[in-house]
Amino acid sequence: MDREQSSAQQQPSREPVDGGRPAETGGGGRRAAAQRRQMRQELASAAMDLFANQGYEETTVDQIAAEAGVARRTFFRYFRSKEEAIFPDHDDTLIRVADLLASAEAEEHPLDVVCRGIKEVLRMYASTPGVSVARYQLIRQVPALREREIAVVARYERLFTRYLLGRFDAVEQNPPGWQFGGDDDSMLAEVSAAAVVAAHNHVLRRWLRAGGHGDVEAQLDHSFEVIRNTFWATPPSGVRRRGTLVAPGATGDTGSALEAAAVSALSASPGGEVLITVARTDAPLELVVDSIRAALGAAATP
């Protein structure tokens, strides 16, 4: 007998993709949503048990439904296929992540916001280590599940890429030091989003291979620092960088050379004095350099 609650039967078969939110109002909506989440978890648990005991290929949707104590038609209200039942939490997590991105303060570095978003996904796995490890072992054995996992990961990447592009469009809200503009925005957004997701996957899989032991959030935080230093490096203290972020001397052009000189000057011996020079923006570079040299020579004269 199908034991699904009638209120849960009326819920849509899937959460909207990429962060859409179903219309739910009042206590009745919240209860229905909770019932729906519970049923999804029970179906997923039944599927995992059957896959582990008799094999993925040998397990049918009818068997999963019977194991969970519901009818076949109920299963298809929650999942479109048996491989989808392995990933019951991602729809709700995607909505949580989308809400986090939407509510982030404009002053917060956008990469930090994306890192906070992907950490929600990590916490979803870390909340049930045993289930996550068993699911990981199963996915490694079944190509269809690996393909499904890739599709799930792509949803987060798209969400993060759209968020980063939106922040680039709101240049006036960006804090000094990391404004961007031009044709590289879309590339930087995609690369940054992909890097954050790839770092999450690397840390997560390493943790799962270790049986779900260890401080996985600390490991993820370390990977975030590597990404920040690689893709969104911040200038040294006292140096204000404007425009596209370029490592000093990376391109060999005059601007990069001057930036490298500024960094070198500010990191010189702490006992030296500080020289401040004022020049017109349309002054030839040679004249500016000559004036700096003259000022330094005068300062060095006893």
mmCIF file of all heavy atoms in Angstrom, residues 115-151:
data_model
loop_
_atom_site.group_PDB
_atom_site.id
_atom_site.type_symbol
_atom_site.label_atom_id
_atom_site.label_comp_id
_atom_site.label_asym_id
_atom_site.label_seq_id
_atom_site.Cartn_x
_atom_site.Cartn_y
_atom_site.Cartn_z
ATOM 1 N N CYS A 115 33.021 30.770 -2.496
ATOM 2 C CA CYS A 115 33.606 29.758 -1.610
ATOM 3 C C CYS A 115 32.640 29.389 -0.490
ATOM 4 O O CYS A 115 32.528 28.213 -0.109
ATOM 5 C CB CYS A 115 34.924 30.264 -1.034
ATOM 6 S SG CYS A 115 36.280 30.365 -2.242
ATOM 7 N N ARG A 116 31.933 30.388 0.048
ATOM 8 C CA ARG A 116 30.935 30.079 1.082
ATOM 9 C C ARG A 116 29.814 29.237 0.492
ATOM 10 O O ARG A 116 29.255 28.355 1.171
ATOM 11 C CB ARG A 116 30.372 31.370 1.667
ATOM 12 C CG ARG A 116 31.315 32.097 2.588
ATOM 13 C CD ARG A 116 30.589 33.052 3.512
ATOM 14 N NE ARG A 116 29.965 34.164 2.830
ATOM 15 C CZ ARG A 116 28.658 34.380 2.785
ATOM 16 N NH1 ARG A 116 27.819 33.540 3.382
ATOM 17 N NH2 ARG A 116 28.180 35.442 2.155
ATOM 18 N N GLY A 117 29.483 29.497 -0.767
ATOM 19 C CA GLY A 117 28.419 28.741 -1.407
ATOM 20 C C GLY A 117 28.770 27.277 -1.587
ATOM 21 O O GLY A 117 27.980 26.382 -1.247
ATOM 22 N N ILE A 118 29.967 26.999 -2.089
ATOM 23 C CA ILE A 118 30.353 25.602 -2.318
ATOM 24 C C ILE A 118 30.550 24.879 -0.993
ATOM 25 O O ILE A 118 30.411 23.650 -0.927
ATOM 26 C CB ILE A 118 31.628 25.527 -3.185
ATOM 27 C CG1 ILE A 118 31.764 24.123 -3.805
ATOM 28 C CG2 ILE A 118 32.859 25.866 -2.382
ATOM 29 C CD1 ILE A 118 30.709 23.785 -4.812
ATOM 30 N N LYS A 119 30.839 25.613 0.072
ATOM 31 C CA LYS A 119 30.990 24.960 1.374
ATOM 32 C C LYS A 119 29.650 24.380 1.846
ATOM 33 O O LYS A 119 29.628 23.404 2.600
ATOM 34 C CB LYS A 119 31.544 25.942 2.399
ATOM 35 C CG LYS A 119 31.938 25.281 3.705
ATOM 36 C CD LYS A 119 32.615 26.246 4.664
ATOM 37 C CE LYS A 119 34.041 26.516 4.278
ATOM 38 N NZ LYS A 119 34.775 27.302 5.313
ATOM 39 N N GLU A 120 28.535 24.965 1.404
ATOM 40 C CA GLU A 120 27.232 24.393 1.727
ATOM 41 C C GLU A 120 27.105 22.991 1.140
ATOM 42 O O GLU A 120 26.500 22.101 1.748
ATOM 43 C CB GLU A 120 26.113 25.294 1.192
ATOM 44 C CG GLU A 120 25.934 26.590 1.944
ATOM 45 C CD GLU A 120 25.468 26.354 3.372
ATOM 46 O OE1 GLU A 120 24.521 25.563 3.553
ATOM 47 O OE2 GLU A 120 26.052 26.938 4.297
ATOM 48 N N VAL A 121 27.659 22.799 -0.049
ATOM 49 C CA VAL A 121 27.620 21.474 -0.680
ATOM 50 C C VAL A 121 28.472 20.499 0.125
ATOM 51 O O VAL A 121 28.075 19.354 0.367
ATOM 52 C CB VAL A 121 28.124 21.556 -2.129
ATOM 53 C CG1 VAL A 121 27.983 20.206 -2.819
ATOM 54 C CG2 VAL A 121 27.365 22.633 -2.910
ATOM 55 N N LEU A 122 29.637 20.943 0.539
ATOM 56 C CA LEU A 122 30.509 20.084 1.341
ATOM 57 C C LEU A 122 29.818 19.665 2.629
ATOM 58 O O LEU A 122 29.896 18.494 3.050
ATOM 59 C CB LEU A 122 31.813 20.813 1.653
ATOM 60 C CG LEU A 122 32.856 19.987 2.403
ATOM 61 C CD1 LEU A 122 33.565 19.045 1.437
ATOM 62 C CD2 LEU A 122 33.868 20.878 3.104
ATOM 63 N N ARG A 123 29.154 20.603 3.279
ATOM 64 C CA ARG A 123 28.479 20.287 4.539
ATOM 65 C C ARG A 123 27.345 19.294 4.337
ATOM 66 O O ARG A 123 27.031 18.513 5.236
ATOM 67 C CB ARG A 123 27.960 21.572 5.174
ATOM 68 C CG ARG A 123 29.077 22.443 5.752
ATOM 69 C CD ARG A 123 28.588 23.814 6.129
ATOM 70 N NE ARG A 123 29.669 24.586 6.746
ATOM 71 C CZ ARG A 123 29.632 25.908 6.912
ATOM 72 N NH1 ARG A 123 28.570 26.601 6.501
ATOM 73 N NH2 ARG A 123 30.657 26.525 7.471
ATOM 74 N N MET A 124 26.727 19.334 3.155
ATOM 75 C CA MET A 124 25.683 18.359 2.846
ATOM 76 C C MET A 124 26.259 16.948 2.892
ATOM 77 O O MET A 124 25.674 16.033 3.477
ATOM 78 C CB MET A 124 25.100 18.645 1.470
ATOM 79 C CG MET A 124 24.059 17.637 0.988
ATOM 80 S SD MET A 124 23.739 17.820 -0.778
ATOM 81 C CE MET A 124 25.259 17.143 -1.465
ATOM 82 N N TYR A 125 27.436 16.756 2.293
ATOM 83 C CA TYR A 125 28.083 15.441 2.318
ATOM 84 C C TYR A 125 28.567 15.090 3.723
ATOM 85 O O TYR A 125 28.432 13.954 4.187
ATOM 86 C CB TYR A 125 29.269 15.417 1.355
ATOM 87 C CG TYR A 125 28.900 15.329 -0.103
ATOM 88 C CD1 TYR A 125 28.853 16.468 -0.908
ATOM 89 C CD2 TYR A 125 28.616 14.101 -0.690
ATOM 90 C CE1 TYR A 125 28.524 16.381 -2.249
ATOM 91 C CE2 TYR A 125 28.287 14.008 -2.032
ATOM 92 C CZ TYR A 125 28.246 15.149 -2.810
ATOM 93 O OH TYR A 125 27.913 15.065 -4.131
ATOM 94 N N ALA A 126 29.175 16.075 4.402
ATOM 95 C CA ALA A 126 29.784 15.814 5.705
ATOM 96 C C ALA A 126 28.746 15.522 6.783
ATOM 97 O O ALA A 126 29.078 14.938 7.822
ATOM 98 C CB ALA A 126 30.652 17.004 6.125
ATOM 99 N N SER A 127 27.492 15.913 6.560
ATOM 100 C CA SER A 127 26.457 15.687 7.574
ATOM 101 C C SER A 127 26.122 14.208 7.736
ATOM 102 O O SER A 127 25.637 13.788 8.791
ATOM 103 C CB SER A 127 25.194 16.480 7.215
ATOM 104 O OG SER A 127 24.630 16.000 5.998
ATOM 105 N N THR A 128 26.359 13.403 6.699
ATOM 106 C CA THR A 128 26.108 11.959 6.764
ATOM 107 C C THR A 128 27.307 11.227 6.153
ATOM 108 O O THR A 128 27.232 10.736 5.021
ATOM 109 C CB THR A 128 24.818 11.586 6.007
ATOM 110 O OG1 THR A 128 24.903 12.097 4.654
ATOM 111 C CG2 THR A 128 23.593 12.166 6.686
ATOM 112 N N PRO A 129 28.406 11.143 6.883
ATOM 113 C CA PRO A 129 29.632 10.559 6.314
ATOM 114 C C PRO A 129 29.456 9.139 5.797
ATOM 115 O O PRO A 129 29.955 8.795 4.716
ATOM 116 C CB PRO A 129 30.614 10.612 7.487
ATOM 117 C CG PRO A 129 30.076 11.641 8.412
ATOM 118 C CD PRO A 129 28.597 11.589 8.268
ATOM 119 N N GLY A 130 28.749 8.303 6.559
ATOM 120 C CA GLY A 130 28.582 6.913 6.144
ATOM 121 C C GLY A 130 27.860 6.788 4.815
ATOM 122 O O GLY A 130 28.275 6.040 3.921
ATOM 123 N N VAL A 131 26.771 7.532 4.669
ATOM 124 C CA VAL A 131 26.008 7.506 3.419
ATOM 125 C C VAL A 131 26.843 8.055 2.271
ATOM 126 O O VAL A 131 26.843 7.519 1.159
ATOM 127 C CB VAL A 131 24.707 8.308 3.572
ATOM 128 C CG1 VAL A 131 23.981 8.421 2.233
ATOM 129 C CG2 VAL A 131 23.800 7.656 4.612
ATOM 130 N N SER A 132 27.575 9.120 2.543
ATOM 131 C CA SER A 132 28.377 9.756 1.496
ATOM 132 C C SER A 132 29.489 8.823 1.006
ATOM 133 O O SER A 132 29.769 8.752 -0.188
ATOM 134 C CB SER A 132 28.975 11.065 2.012
ATOM 135 O OG SER A 132 27.949 11.992 2.338
ATOM 136 N N VAL A 133 30.129 8.120 1.931
ATOM 137 C CA VAL A 133 31.194 7.190 1.544
ATOM 138 C C VAL A 133 30.623 6.038 0.721
ATOM 139 O O VAL A 133 31.188 5.652 -0.313
ATOM 140 C CB VAL A 133 31.925 6.656 2.794
ATOM 141 C CG1 VAL A 133 32.869 5.518 2.421
ATOM 142 C CG2 VAL A 133 32.701 7.780 3.474
ATOM 143 N N ALA A 134 29.492 5.497 1.162
ATOM 144 C CA ALA A 134 28.870 4.392 0.413
ATOM 145 C C ALA A 134 28.451 4.846 -0.979
ATOM 146 O O ALA A 134 28.609 4.115 -1.961
ATOM 147 C CB ALA A 134 27.663 3.864 1.189
ATOM 148 N N ARG A 135 27.916 6.051 -1.073
ATOM 149 C CA ARG A 135 27.498 6.579 -2.375
ATOM 150 C C ARG A 135 28.707 6.782 -3.285
ATOM 151 O O ARG A 135 28.659 6.477 -4.475
ATOM 152 C CB ARG A 135 26.752 7.898 -2.178
ATOM 153 C CG ARG A 135 26.287 8.544 -3.460
ATOM 154 C CD ARG A 135 25.257 9.608 -3.181
ATOM 155 N NE ARG A 135 25.667 10.535 -2.151
ATOM 156 C CZ ARG A 135 24.846 11.394 -1.551
ATOM 157 N NH1 ARG A 135 23.565 11.418 -1.878
ATOM 158 N NH2 ARG A 135 25.286 12.214 -0.630
ATOM 159 N N TYR A 136 29.797 7.284 -2.719
ATOM 160 C CA TYR A 136 31.010 7.493 -3.502
ATOM 161 C C TYR A 136 31.534 6.171 -4.060
ATOM 162 O O TYR A 136 31.921 6.083 -5.234
ATOM 163 C CB TYR A 136 32.066 8.160 -2.632
ATOM 164 C CG TYR A 136 33.432 8.260 -3.278
ATOM 165 C CD1 TYR A 136 33.654 9.103 -4.355
ATOM 166 C CD2 TYR A 136 34.495 7.499 -2.791
ATOM 167 C CE1 TYR A 136 34.912 9.191 -4.950
ATOM 168 C CE2 TYR A 136 35.750 7.582 -3.377
ATOM 169 C CZ TYR A 136 35.948 8.426 -4.447
ATOM 170 O OH TYR A 136 37.183 8.504 -5.035
ATOM 171 N N GLN A 137 31.544 5.143 -3.238
ATOM 172 C CA GLN A 137 32.025 3.836 -3.685
ATOM 173 C C GLN A 137 31.132 3.274 -4.791
ATOM 174 O O GLN A 137 31.627 2.657 -5.749
ATOM 175 C CB GLN A 137 32.079 2.877 -2.497
ATOM 176 C CG GLN A 137 33.125 3.275 -1.459
ATOM 177 C CD GLN A 137 33.046 2.450 -0.194
ATOM 178 O OE1 GLN A 137 32.041 1.786 0.069
ATOM 179 N NE2 GLN A 137 34.098 2.503 0.624
ATOM 180 N N LEU A 138 29.828 3.512 -4.672
ATOM 181 C CA LEU A 138 28.904 3.030 -5.694
ATOM 182 C C LEU A 138 29.094 3.793 -7.005
ATOM 183 O O LEU A 138 29.120 3.198 -8.093
ATOM 184 C CB LEU A 138 27.462 3.170 -5.199
ATOM 185 C CG LEU A 138 26.367 2.720 -6.173
ATOM 186 C CD1 LEU A 138 26.461 1.219 -6.423
ATOM 187 C CD2 LEU A 138 24.985 3.076 -5.603
ATOM 188 N N ILE A 139 29.244 5.108 -6.920
ATOM 189 C CA ILE A 139 29.401 5.933 -8.119
ATOM 190 C C ILE A 139 30.649 5.532 -8.891
ATOM 191 O O ILE A 139 30.666 5.531 -10.135
ATOM 192 C CB ILE A 139 29.446 7.420 -7.721
ATOM 193 C CG1 ILE A 139 28.062 7.883 -7.245
ATOM 194 C CG2 ILE A 139 29.910 8.285 -8.891
ATOM 195 C CD1 ILE A 139 28.053 9.273 -6.668
ATOM 196 N N ARG A 140 31.704 5.172 -8.186
ATOM 197 C CA ARG A 140 32.948 4.770 -8.850
ATOM 198 C C ARG A 140 32.765 3.496 -9.665
ATOM 199 O O ARG A 140 33.499 3.251 -10.633
ATOM 200 C CB ARG A 140 34.046 4.551 -7.809
ATOM 201 C CG ARG A 140 34.495 5.812 -7.098
ATOM 202 C CD ARG A 140 35.558 5.498 -6.069
ATOM 203 N NE ARG A 140 36.769 4.959 -6.683
ATOM 204 C CZ ARG A 140 37.791 4.432 -5.997
ATOM 205 N NH1 ARG A 140 37.723 4.364 -4.674
ATOM 206 N NH2 ARG A 140 38.848 3.983 -6.623
ATOM 207 N N GLN A 141 31.779 2.684 -9.325
ATOM 208 C CA GLN A 141 31.579 1.403 -9.985
ATOM 209 C C GLN A 141 30.582 1.461 -11.137
ATOM 210 O O GLN A 141 30.558 0.558 -11.978
ATOM 211 C CB GLN A 141 31.093 0.371 -8.961
ATOM 212 C CG GLN A 141 32.057 0.142 -7.809
ATOM 213 C CD GLN A 141 31.437 -0.693 -6.707
ATOM 214 O OE1 GLN A 141 30.332 -1.234 -6.863
ATOM 215 N NE2 GLN A 141 32.123 -0.814 -5.581
ATOM 216 N N VAL A 142 29.759 2.532 -11.181
ATOM 217 C CA VAL A 142 28.667 2.586 -12.162
ATOM 218 C C VAL A 142 28.844 3.803 -13.071
ATOM 219 O O VAL A 142 28.687 4.943 -12.614
ATOM 220 C CB VAL A 142 27.298 2.652 -11.450
ATOM 221 C CG1 VAL A 142 26.168 2.657 -12.476
ATOM 222 C CG2 VAL A 142 27.142 1.490 -10.477
ATOM 223 N N PRO A 143 29.163 3.614 -14.341
ATOM 224 C CA PRO A 143 29.363 4.756 -15.251
ATOM 225 C C PRO A 143 28.165 5.695 -15.340
ATOM 226 O O PRO A 143 28.343 6.914 -15.416
ATOM 227 C CB PRO A 143 29.637 4.073 -16.601
ATOM 228 C CG PRO A 143 30.188 2.730 -16.235
ATOM 229 C CD PRO A 143 29.468 2.330 -14.985
ATOM 230 N N ALA A 144 26.961 5.161 -15.303
ATOM 231 C CA ALA A 144 25.770 6.008 -15.401
ATOM 232 C C ALA A 144 25.681 6.972 -14.227
ATOM 233 O O ALA A 144 25.243 8.119 -14.383
ATOM 234 C CB ALA A 144 24.508 5.146 -15.461
ATOM 235 N N LEU A 145 26.109 6.539 -13.064
ATOM 236 C CA LEU A 145 26.083 7.411 -11.891
ATOM 237 C C LEU A 145 27.178 8.464 -11.972
ATOM 238 O O LEU A 145 26.985 9.598 -11.523
ATOM 239 C CB LEU A 145 26.234 6.580 -10.614
ATOM 240 C CG LEU A 145 25.102 5.591 -10.328
ATOM 241 C CD1 LEU A 145 25.348 4.865 -9.018
ATOM 242 C CD2 LEU A 145 23.755 6.304 -10.298
ATOM 243 N N ARG A 146 28.320 8.106 -12.537
ATOM 244 C CA ARG A 146 29.376 9.106 -12.718
ATOM 245 C C ARG A 146 28.917 10.208 -13.661
ATOM 246 O O ARG A 146 29.192 11.396 -13.441
ATOM 247 C CB ARG A 146 30.654 8.441 -13.240
ATOM 248 C CG ARG A 146 31.350 7.568 -12.222
ATOM 249 C CD ARG A 146 32.810 7.323 -12.590
ATOM 250 N NE ARG A 146 32.929 6.598 -13.843
ATOM 251 C CZ ARG A 146 32.966 5.263 -13.929
ATOM 252 N NH1 ARG A 146 32.879 4.531 -12.832
ATOM 253 N NH2 ARG A 146 33.108 4.675 -15.099
ATOM 254 N N GLU A 147 28.223 9.833 -14.715
ATOM 255 C CA GLU A 147 27.704 10.838 -15.653
ATOM 256 C C GLU A 147 26.679 11.737 -14.965
ATOM 257 O O GLU A 147 26.643 12.946 -15.195
ATOM 258 C CB GLU A 147 27.083 10.142 -16.855
ATOM 259 C CG GLU A 147 28.087 9.399 -17.728
ATOM 260 C CD GLU A 147 27.421 8.616 -18.833
ATOM 261 O OE1 GLU A 147 26.177 8.702 -18.957
ATOM 262 O OE2 GLU A 147 28.137 7.914 -19.585
ATOM 263 N N ARG A 148 25.856 11.152 -14.129
ATOM 264 C CA ARG A 148 24.868 11.931 -13.391
ATOM 265 C C ARG A 148 25.558 12.895 -12.432
ATOM 266 O O ARG A 148 25.147 14.049 -12.290
ATOM 267 C CB ARG A 148 23.936 10.994 -12.622
ATOM 268 C CG ARG A 148 22.898 11.706 -11.769
ATOM 269 C CD ARG A 148 21.946 12.515 -12.615
ATOM 270 N NE ARG A 148 21.097 13.357 -11.797
ATOM 271 C CZ ARG A 148 20.291 14.295 -12.271
ATOM 272 N NH1 ARG A 148 20.217 14.500 -13.575
ATOM 273 N NH2 ARG A 148 19.560 15.018 -11.462
ATOM 274 N N GLU A 149 26.621 12.447 -11.793
ATOM 275 C CA GLU A 149 27.363 13.301 -10.872
ATOM 276 C C GLU A 149 27.964 14.494 -11.615
ATOM 277 O O GLU A 149 27.951 15.623 -11.118
ATOM 278 C CB GLU A 149 28.456 12.506 -10.187
ATOM 279 C CG GLU A 149 29.241 13.302 -9.151
ATOM 280 C CD GLU A 149 30.366 12.497 -8.547
ATOM 281 O OE1 GLU A 149 31.035 11.770 -9.306
ATOM 282 O OE2 GLU A 149 30.587 12.610 -7.324
ATOM 283 N N ILE A 150 28.487 14.272 -12.801
ATOM 284 C CA ILE A 150 29.052 15.358 -13.611
ATOM 285 C C ILE A 150 27.978 16.396 -13.929
ATOM 286 O O ILE A 150 28.221 17.607 -13.873
ATOM 287 C CB ILE A 150 29.674 14.794 -14.899
ATOM 288 C CG1 ILE A 150 30.912 13.959 -14.557
ATOM 289 C CG2 ILE A 150 30.038 15.917 -15.871
ATOM 290 C CD1 ILE A 150 31.475 13.193 -15.741
ATOM 291 N N ALA A 151 26.773 15.935 -14.258
ATOM 292 C CA ALA A 151 25.680 16.855 -14.554
ATOM 293 C C ALA A 151 25.295 17.672 -13.326
ATOM 294 O O ALA A 151 24.980 18.865 -13.434
ATOM 295 C CB ALA A 151 24.473 16.073 -15.074
#
